[in-house]
Amino acid sequence: MIFKERKMSDELQMLQALDRRMALSPKDHKNYQHLLKGFRGEAQFDQLLANLSCAHIQIHDLLLEHNGTVFQIDSLLIMKEKIIVYEVKNYQGEFFFEQERFFKVPRQEIMNPLHQIGRTAPILTQLLRKHGFNIPIQFHVVFVNPEFTLFYAEQNTPIILPTQIKSHLQILDENNSRLNETHNRLAKKLVELHLNESPYQKQPEFEYGEMKKGVVCGCCGLMEVEVKGRKVYCKHCNWVEHLDTVIVKLIMEYKLLFPNKKVTVSAIDEWCGSLISLKSISRILGQYFTRKGSFRWTYYE
Ligand SMILES: [Zn+2]
């Protein structure tokens, strides 16, 4: 059972929206590519976990805090006898360990993911004990990219290589014990402790004036769409979406990028490059958002 799904972080959503509407600075572009690759790897692993048939609870993308330390968990499984925590890596290319250090070939040092889980393990154990849960925790670093190669890999490490994922999940599936109320309480507690905003989130640089206004295709990301009736079509990739969904997404995007600007019919009209009728924008704002002020001072939250 999936108890908490993964969603794109605000930072990644923001960078994606900006990337489609302006040229990102080299620093933001690099950060965007890094976050996107990580997210895709995690989503890919989620799909594999979705096929598990044994009794378990899945919690994805947790941000927790204990004694002033904030730490992130990519995926967590609650099983009958234990919790399994996965640190998911979407690395591509050839890598090797050398004396506790981790390198990409030829010799670019990267943070050792085993140290990462080494830090998380005691903190998570303490946090769970504090809340009265005393259940063993197993940690794994899982490399999901089929184009990942690890040289000189030692056996008996918590590493799961791309070619080992399937058998790892098959072993979990052999487990047929049922969960009880304590497991449910544990899942609820973890989700309750989840922090919504990461203190590590970086704020990209952008200004309203430099951004392209228009409707972005939800599939290819280009602004080659047209509105026909209650549908939005992409001329480039044939993507079709209901007009209402497109307007809601435009408004959410605007609110995410400009939390201090007031959401008005004319602001959204300008944001979508006047591609959508004022009547439709007004209808959606009235339907899904809360109206504030009145007459020409009306705005929505
Ligand atoms: Zn498209």
Side-chain angles (χ1 to χ4, degrees):
M1 180 182 73
I2 300 173
F3 204 82
K4 180 182 177 294
E5 302 226 14
R6 185 182 312 283
K7 75 173 197 39
M8 268 195 189
S9 66
D10 282 359
E11 186 182 3
L12 179 53
Q13 283 186 52
M14 216 184 250
L15 287 165
Q16 187 174 60
L18 294 173
D19 182 56
R20 289 168 169 182
R21 292 179 180 271
M22 58 180 269
L24 290 176
S25 71
K27 190 180 78 186
D28 287 337
H29 188 260
K30 200 174 161 202
N31 186 31
Y32 173 48
Q33 294 303 323
H34 171 74
L35 293 177
L36 188 63
K37 192 162 191 199
F39 180 81
R40 285 184 177 154
E42 290 158 9
Q44 192 187 326
F45 188 57
D46 292 351
Q47 282 186 356
L48 297 173
L49 290 179
N51 294 327
L52 278 178
S53 55
C54 58
H56 72 282
I57 298 174
Q58 287 182 33
I59 302 178
H60 300 293
D61 198 18
L62 273 177
L63 190 67
L64 301 168
E65 189 267 339
H66 182 60
N67 283 348
T69 306
V70 175
F71 59 104
Q72 202 212 325
I73 289 173
D74 291 336
S75 285
L76 181 148
L77 294 189
I78 299 175
M79 311 280 293
K80 166 87 175 163
E81 308 286 350
K82 62 185 172 193
I83 290 176
I84 310 180
V85 171
Y86 297 98
E87 172 66 35
V88 181
K89 297 289 181 205
N90 192 8
Y91 296 161
Q92 198 174 349
E94 299 174 325
F95 294 76
F96 64 97
F97 282 100
E98 192 184 274
Q99 293 173 342
E100 308 250 318
R101 290 162 75 190
F102 188 52
F103 298 91
K104 180 169 188 183
V105 172
R107 204 178 168 80
Q108 179 199 353
E109 186 162 9
I110 290 176
M111 198 187 2
N112 184 342
L114 294 174
H115 290 171
Q116 219 173 323
I117 59 170
R119 274 194 304 273
T120 309
I123 313 174
L124 181 64
T125 308
Q126 286 169 26
L127 177 68
L128 291 181
R129 287 216 180 118
K130 183 181 145 192
H131 292 281
F133 298 99
N134 204 345
I135 176 167
I137 313 174
Q138 186 178 316
F139 288 83
H140 289 287
V141 176
V142 51
F143 292 97
V144 290
N145 198 309
E147 288 174 43
F148 171 84
T149 302
L150 182 63
F151 291 120
Y152 331 118
E154 284 179 37
Q155 288 187 347
N156 301 321
T157 61
I159 291 173
I160 303 175
L161 297 171
T163 48
Q164 298 173 316
I165 298 175
K166 203 174 155 196
S167 61
H168 171 80
L169 297 178
Q170 272 168 354
I171 293 169
L172 293 185
D173 253 346
E174 284 166 13
N175 196 313
N176 51 14
S177 20
R178 287 168 167 261
L179 302 187
N180 59 36
E181 194 38 45
T182 309
H183 299 101
N184 280 328
R185 271 200 298 121
L186 171 58
K188 275 187 203 149
K189 179 50 82 181
L190 283 168
V191 173
E192 186 188 305
L193 292 171
H194 171 69
L195 308 170
N196 272 318
E197 271 183 47
S198 167
Y200 308 122
Q201 183 165 314
K202 297 187 198 102
Q203 180 64 33
E205 292 162 20
F206 61 96
E207 279 184 44
Y208 181 80
E210 62 183 335
M211 300 173 73
K212 276 192 270 176
K213 315 296 185 291
V215 178
V216 177
C217 166
C219 181
C220 69
L222 295 176
M223 275 188 197
E224 292 181 17
V225 305
E226 57 182 348
V227 181
K228 279 189 209 155
R230 286 269 172 117
K231 290 271 168 69
V232 178
Y233 298 84
C234 175
K235 288 181 263 184
H236 183 75
C237 74
N238 297 326
W239 165 83
V240 186
E241 181 89 271
H242 196 278
L243 179 64
D244 291 12
T245 314
V246 171
I247 303 175
V248 170
K249 281 186 187 159
L250 271 167
I251 298 167
M252 296 308 288
E253 181 190 42
Y254 185 81
K255 280 166 72 81
L256 176 72
L257 293 173
F258 310 104
N260 299 324
K261 282 188 192 270
K262 283 207 162 88
V263 178
T264 61
V265 174
S266 62
I268 300 303
D269 171 52
E270 192 175 298
W271 186 237
C272 72
S274 297
L275 201 76
I276 296 163
S277 73
L278 296 175
K279 208 174 125 196
S280 298
I281 296 172
S282 178
R283 176 174 59 79
I284 294 298
L285 280 169
Q287 208 171 325
Y288 296 96
F289 298 85
T290 314
R291 190 187 169 112
K292 298 273 166 94
S294 55
F295 303 111
R296 62 193 183 91
W297 294 281
T298 302
Y299 65 97
Y300 298 80
E301 280 180 351

